[in-house]
Amino acid sequence: MRPESTPEAVPAAAPIGPAGPAFFALPPALARKADPALIAVDDAHLAAIRDRLAAEIAGIEDRLVRLRATRARAGQEALDRDLEIHRSTSRLQLLRRFGVDLCLGRMVAAGADEPVYIGRIGLTDSTGRRLLVDWRAPAAEPFFAATHGDPQGLVSRRRYRWASRRITDYWDEVFDPEGLDGAAALDDQSAFIASLGASRSPRMRDVLSTIQADQDAIIRASSRGPLVVDGGPGTGKTVVALHRAAYLMHAEQRLSQGGILFVGPHRPYLAYVEDVLPSLGEDSVRVCTLADLAPEGRDGDRMPEEQDPLARRLKSGLRLLDAAAAAVRYHEHAPEQRLRVETPWRDVVVEPAAWTEAFDAPEPGTPHNDARDVVWDALIGSLVEDDADDDVPPHLLDRALRQSAVLQRAFVEAWPVLDPAGVVADLWSIPAYLRICAPWLSEAERAVLRRDDPRAWTRQDLPFLDVVRALTGDPAGARRRRRQEAVTAEERDYRERVLDELLAADDDKESAITGFFFGDDSAGVREMLLDEAALPRLDPDAFAGPFAHVIVDEAQELSDSDWAMLLRRVPSRSLTIVGDRAQARHGFGESWEERLERIGLRRIQQASLRINYRTPEEVMAAAEPVIRAALPDANVPVSVRASGIPVRHARIADRDAILADWLAAHDEGIACVIGDERPFGHPRVRLLTPVTAKGLEYDLVVLVDPEAFGEGIEGAVDRYVSMTRATQELVVLDSGR
C-alpha cells in the first residue's frame, strides 16, 4: 500500500491476554489436557509473549506520537516519515488484532533443550531471547513440513486452537516417542482432522495452524517461472495461494520490491478472503478480479457474457488481439503528399520523408498517445534544422511552426489522440475497419462480431480494451504531463525570483541567508522550496503493473485472451497458477502444460493437491459421479473426514423450512442457497449462483433444481462445484419432487 501523509487510524487497544498465566480455557470434555504437566511450560512462555507485546505496543504508540508531531520537510524526508508511520501503524494493527494468539504452536527438535514457538510474526524479548519464530522463516519450516514419514528432525509438534484469546484445544503429534522429554496429550488423529471442518464464518480465516505438509511445500516453492497448483475441491488451493502471497513477500526481496498481484474469480470471493492476508501480516499485495484489470470491468460481477458461441470463441483466442494492435497502427499514417506551411518569413515544405523520420522517433513500445509529443517534437526539430538560417533565429521558426494551424491539422490526422474504448467500439461497429484490421476473418465471423451498441461491453471484450489501452496509453496522460512540466517550470521560476529578491535585500554578502541559499551546498535547499503540493499528480492505474509476481486462483476459467491481460503485467513470467481442470465450465480437454505453452509460457513446474480437507465423504460420494459422467479423468480428491450427515433430497417448496430448521439448530455457521435467488432475509444465509459460489465454502449448501443448470460439461461442472461447497451438510431440492 502507498504510504499516506495523513495519520492512519489504528483500532483501539484490546487486551492482549489474560491478566494471569492461565491461557488455556479447555472445556470439561478435555479436562485431561488441562494437566499442569502438559501445559505449564506453554503457560509460562505465553505469559512472556504477553508481556513483550504490551511493551512493544506501548513503544510503537510512543513512536507514532513522536512521528506525527515531527514537521518533516518536503521530498525524501517527508516520504521517509510517512513510510515509518505506515510500517509502525501496520505492526500496531496486527499486534492489537491478535495479541498472544499470534502464537500458532510449538515444535521440539531432537536434542533441543526447549520448544520453539511459531508465530504469525517474529518476536524477541528485550534480551534478544526468541519468543516467536515468524512462520515464513526457514527455521519454522519443520513445523509445517514434518510428517511421520519425514519428521524433519522433530520429536513432537503441538498446534493450538484459539478462541477469544484462550486456547480451547490443542493437538500433539509425536514423531519420536523415544526422544520425547515430557508428556504429550495424544488424540486420535481424526480429532485434528475433524477440526478442519469447524463452522464457517462470513470471511475466510487463515489456517496457519493447520497447514499440511503438501500445502506447505507449495507455499514455500521458488517463484522462478510459472508454477501450476492443480487440485480438486477442498484441497486448500485458495489457502495455498493466499499464504504463498504472504510468504513470498517476506521471503523474496525482489518480489517485495516489485509487488505481487493476486487475482480472484469474482467479488464474493474477494470479500470472503479479504481478511486473510492482513491476518498473515501482509497488507501490500494488490488483490482484484480479472475484470478489474480493465476500468470497464469494475462495475461488478454482473457484466454479461458473450452470448453467441462463435463470437465468444473468436474473442477468447489470441489471434483477434492482433486486430486490436492493427487498429492502433491504422491511426499512425504518415502523409504521402508534400505539405506547404506558411511562416512570417517564407513557406516551409514538409516532405513525406520528414513525416516518416518523425514517426520513427519514439522508442519501440512507446504507447501511441505517449508518443505524440515525441513525434511532434521530432517533426518540428527536423523542419527547423533544414530551414533555419541566419535571418531567422531557430527558436522563432520553431514557435511559428508549432503555431501553424495547417501543420497542426495535418499532424492530428496523421497521429490522432486515441480513446481506447473508442478504438474497440469502432472494431465492432465499422465493418470496413474490422476488415482492414482482421483480413483473415470470414464474412460470417465479421458479422457475428458486429453489434448495434458497440459499447455494450461483455466479459469477452475486456482483453481487447486492455490491450488497446496498453498500446495507446492514457489519452489524457500527455496533457497531464505537459501541465505538470509547465507548473514545475512556473514553480522553479517563482523560486528563483524569491531567491533573487532575498539576495538583493541582503546587504551583508557574508550573512547566513546568502550562505544558506547561495553557498556550495545550496542545491538541496533550493529544491525544498519547490511546492510539490502545487504539482498535478499522475495517478497510474494500481493494477497496470508491471508486477514481480502474479497469483491467479480458479485459473482454469481463463481464456487465451484473458491470459494475455495477465502476462502483460508480469514480464518476468513469475506466476502461481491455481486451478482445477475439472471445474472449468467451458471444458479443459488439454493438459495445463499444453494450455500454458500455447500462450507463451515455458519451463512450467506443476504440483498437485489430492487430499480433500473440506468436503465430507458423504458429499463427495454424491458429487463424484456427477463430474465423472462428463469428465472421466477428473482429478477428484479423496476426503479425509466424514460429517456423519447423509446427503438429503427434498422438494423446492421445502427450501425455507429447511433453512429455518438449520438456523434454529446451529448458533453459528453459514448456509448457502445455490440456484434460487428468492430472498430469505437472514444474515447467515447467502444466495449465489454456481459461478459466484466458486472458491467459497459453507456449512450447509441447499442446491435448488441442479438439473436446470443444463447439459454437457458446463451443467456438470456447475452441479459439481455447487455440491462441493458444503463443509458439513448438502441438501438437494429436486424439481420432480
Side-chain angles (χ1 to χ4, degrees), residues 479-538:
R479 182 168 62 251
R480 284 200 300 269
R481 278 192 298 276
R482 286 194 297 271
R483 178 169 170 251
Q484 187 172 30
E485 291 168 0
V487 173
T488 302
E490 290 175 4
E491 284 291 311
R492 292 184 187 279
D493 289 344
Y494 175 73
R495 176 196 65 189
E496 295 299 331
R497 288 199 303 273
V498 170
L499 293 178
D500 289 342
E501 291 171 4
L502 284 172
L503 183 61
D506 186 20
D507 295 331
D508 182 4
K509 302 308 179 185
E510 301 298 325
S511 70
I513 291 178
T514 300
F516 189 65
F517 289 113
F518 300 95
D520 294 337
D521 299 325
S522 64
V525 176
R526 288 168 172 253
E527 283 300 314
M528 287 191 299
L529 290 181
L530 185 64
D531 183 6
E532 295 186 352
L535 303 182
R537 297 294 183 185
L538 300 179

Side-chain angles (χ1 to χ4, degrees), residues 304-312 458 460:
E305 297 280 325
E306 198 74 51
Q307 293 302 305
D308 188 281
L310 177 57
R312 184 168 61 243
T458 67
Q460 283 69 34

Side-chain angles (χ1 to χ4, degrees), residues 289-337:
T289 68
L290 190 76
D292 290 331
L293 299 182
E296 294 81 1
R298 296 173 192 170
D299 295 332
D301 286 318
R302 296 193 177 274
M303 176 172 262
E305 297 280 325
E306 198 74 51
Q307 293 302 305
D308 188 281
L310 177 57
R312 184 168 61 243
R313 180 175 62 79
L314 290 170
K315 290 184 178 181
S316 296
L318 292 175
R319 192 174 188 191
L320 197 56
L321 290 178
D322 293 338
V328 175
R329 292 194 300 271
Y330 175 83
H331 293 283
E332 300 171 358
H333 183 66
E336 299 177 356
Q337 304 296 325

